[in-house]
Amino acid sequence: MHRFLREYREEFLRELGDWVRIASISSIPEHGMDLLRSANWLTGRLREIGFPSVELWQTRDGLPAVHAAWCAAPGAPTVLVYSHHDVRAVHGGTWGESLPFEPQVRDGKIYGRGASDAKGQVLAHLWGLRAYLAASGRDAPPVNLKLLVEGEEEIGSPHLAALLDDHRDELAADLVVLSDTLMWSLRAPALCTGLRGMLSAKLQVFGPYRDVHSGAVSGAAPNPCTELCKLVAQLYDERGRVTLPGFYDRVAELPPGEREQINALPYSDADWLERTETRTVGGEDGYSVLERVWTRPAAEILAFIGGDPVGASRGAIPSVASVDMNLRLVPEQKVAEVAEQLKAWVAERISDKVDYRLDISLEAAQEPYRTPPEHPALAALGRAMERGFGVPVAGRMRNGGGGPAELLSTTLDAPVVLFGTGLPTDRWHDSDERAEIDALLAGAATLAFLWPELAGALSRPS
């Protein structure tokens, strides 16, 4: 496997570069044709590799997904791989080391939007399968393999539930492999066993009926920026805990064994700050940084807009200010319940001097998920990772970000295991996104070893 991937390394990078050049930005309608080009690029590669069934699925009023199936192993388990080919929008002026859709290879990395999140992860699957077929001499994978690569993940997968319902029979599987996650370290890979959920909301606060000259009314008029600052300042208490009523009622403490495995991973504040570029460490009292990021819920303000955010100030008290909020949830929390908690929190704490509107995006919300801890697919993945990375698995982790794992598991009645090739240094959603080439190749090797491992671990006794 490794020899094949080393031999074809440049071809792998050339293909990834070709795909990265397609600006498949799902959040900007003008890029709809780019999403279609991206999906068609992927269908072409899947056919070249040998998938006998490759289809482009249009979502209901949405963007194209790609489905492929190679089911040539009677009696073997069926595995569905999920990922996405859409990418985040870019702010071109902030890309100082590269251009977003002009990929570059240097210093062991490939730069470009989607190189890591998640086109690189999808391509690792394709090249892992190529490596397996070349090394084994087989003409088909040892499991019945299906892929679903959607085009709306970066906008919350608003049509994924309907897509799964519409194609439930074609997507039926014994196991789902979700590849849209980070790993801890290339030198100390950890087995990912869960991910956090996500709930997004936008809060608008209204003061004067129009922007008003501050000298004319300052000191007497309500200022929505000020009132919003006061409100946001109450989001966390002095212990670093979210103050939404009932927010922690469903949050369970980690089993001791899992907590030990997480904290056994090689970690130092200095390494964390260097790799994540986050300046300082903070968060909830009583928990390590890795526990906070992977296993504890959180609430973040992602955007704060009011007044004149760009250009010269007009010296006016603004009529409206807004924040975009993002809540990260952990297993047992439910997005619908947290939505009600957020509504109650805002209603209780907002000043009566202003009006407000709270929009909560339940359509794009994602429930948290945890892989059944004793499922044999986890052990199979651990064995494949040790062969793919060439080092022992360093422990267990979870993914701090979200994904549709719970939706996939519930709809298809199948457990989900998580394997991704991203690293904290890859700058997902930020400027100068990049992927470690060694991580992509080790990930592809892991996936090459995973299919025969799963064929043995999940086969039903005759």
Side-chain angles (χ1 to χ4, degrees):
M1 314 291 189
H2 290 287
R3 178 185 297 179
F4 178 89
L5 292 168
R6 285 194 300 269
E7 181 178 350
Y8 288 93
R9 177 182 185 274
E10 297 308 313
E11 185 178 341
F12 177 101
L13 295 175
R14 179 186 58 76
E15 286 191 359
L16 181 53
D18 289 345
W19 201 10
V20 165
R21 286 187 179 91
I22 303 173
S24 49
I25 302 171
S26 54
S27 60
I28 300 177
E30 289 77 11
H31 284 274
M33 287 303 298
D34 289 320
L35 266 295
L36 185 58
R37 288 175 58 218
S38 174
N40 282 324
W41 185 95
L42 178 57
T43 60
R45 288 301 299 122
L46 289 165
R47 291 189 179 104
E48 288 175 12
I49 289 170
F51 276 84
S53 173
V54 182
E55 297 177 318
L56 192 150
W57 288 349
Q58 286 288 351
T59 56
R60 300 179 190 176
D61 302 319
L63 297 168
V66 174
H67 173 258
W70 198 340
C71 299
T78 298
V79 181
L80 171 68
V81 173
Y82 165 88
S83 193
H84 65 93
H85 67 98
D86 62 319
V87 300
R88 281 277 171 168
V90 300
H91 300 288
T94 64
W95 286 64
E97 299 177 30
S98 63
L99 294 175
F101 301 109
E102 295 183 17
Q104 299 179 23
V105 176
R106 65 176 186 275
D107 301 327
K109 303 176 180 65
I110 178 168
Y111 287 76
R113 177 60 92 218
S116 181
D117 180 23
K119 290 177 178 178
Q121 303 197 46
V122 176
L123 210 58
H125 273 280
L126 273 58
W127 278 85
L129 182 56
R130 284 194 62 182
Y132 169 78
L133 295 174
S136 67
R138 293 175 57 108
D139 58 5
V143 296
N144 297 302
L145 191 59
K146 301 178 181 181
L147 276 78
L148 176 63
V149 184
E150 68 154 322
E152 298 182 330
E153 194 277 338
E154 296 293 8
I155 54 173
S157 305
H159 299 96
L160 180 59
L163 189 73
L164 296 178
D165 282 337
D166 290 345
H167 298 281
R168 194 184 299 257
D169 291 342
E170 298 102 306
L171 296 171
D174 301 298
L175 179 75
V176 178
V177 176
L178 187 150
S179 285
D180 183 25
T181 56
L182 296 171
M183 58 180 170
W184 173 237
S185 167
L186 186 57
R187 292 178 296 277
L191 195 61
C192 188
T193 62
L195 46 69
R196 292 195 290 190
M198 183 184 71
L199 179 67
S200 298
K202 185 181 188 69
L203 174 62
Q204 295 176 289
V205 175
F206 305 99
Y209 291 106
R210 61 180 178 83
D211 296 353
V212 183
H213 184 285
S214 65
V217 298
S218 179
N223 187 317
C225 287
T226 302
E227 298 303 333
L228 195 50
C229 285
K230 290 178 182 177
L231 182 69
V232 168
Q234 301 175 59
L235 189 55
Y236 281 91
D237 65 18
E238 66 281 356
R239 296 180 296 158
R241 289 169 64 89
V242 178
T243 56
L244 272 58
F247 189 66
Y248 292 92
D249 287 355
R250 286 182 173 268
V251 178
E253 291 294 331
L254 278 180
E258 185 175 2
R259 190 171 195 177
E260 290 170 6
Q261 287 201 317
I262 287 174
N263 291 309
L265 295 174
Y267 172 87
S268 71
D269 284 352
D271 176 67
W272 168 260
L273 294 174
E274 179 182 0
R275 292 207 290 155
T276 62
E277 303 174 82
T278 49
R279 194 181 298 272
T280 59
V281 170
E284 185 181 2
D285 291 350
Y287 298 91
S288 69
V289 167
L290 299 185
E291 290 174 290
R292 293 169 190 166
V293 172
W294 295 337
T295 72
R296 300 296 294 173
E300 300 291 352
I301 302 299
L302 301 184
F304 194 125
I305 301 175
D308 300 313
V310 295
S313 171
R314 293 171 298 145
I317 294 174
S319 60
V320 61
S322 68
V323 293
D324 291 345
M325 308 177 70
N326 183 270
L327 291 90
R328 298 288 179 176
L329 313 180
V330 296
E332 306 307 325
Q333 287 185 298
K334 305 296 181 184
V335 293
E337 291 180 4
V338 174
E340 293 303 315
Q341 293 164 6
L342 180 58
K343 292 177 185 177
W345 181 84
V346 173
E348 176 188 344
R349 296 184 182 235
I350 191 77
S351 168
D352 60 5
K353 299 294 190 291
V354 293
D355 201 356
Y356 72 93
R357 174 176 172 173
L358 177 63
D359 294 311
I360 299 177
S361 180
L362 284 175
E363 181 184 62
Q366 297 170 334
E367 300 282 4
Y369 181 80
R370 184 179 181 223
T371 303
E374 303 305 323
H375 195 280
L378 276 178
L381 177 56
R383 293 190 296 270
M385 288 175 64
E386 292 192 349
R387 297 178 71 187
F389 286 86
V391 294
V393 170
R396 294 197 172 193
M397 62 174 288
R398 296 191 192 178
N399 195 65
E406 177 65 25
L407 175 62
L408 289 160
S409 179
T410 300
T411 306
L412 302 178
D413 191 25
V416 177
V417 294
L418 310 163
F419 177 73
T421 59
L423 289 164
T425 51
D426 286 354
R427 297 177 178 171
W428 286 18
H429 298 192
D430 192 14
S431 56
D432 300 308
E433 181 181 342
R434 65 274 187 96
E436 292 277 355
I437 296 169
D438 286 347
L440 292 172
L441 296 177
T446 295
L447 294 164
F449 291 120
L450 178 61
W451 306 132
E453 287 283 358
L454 289 177
L458 303 184
S459 290
R460 300 178 182 88
S462 55

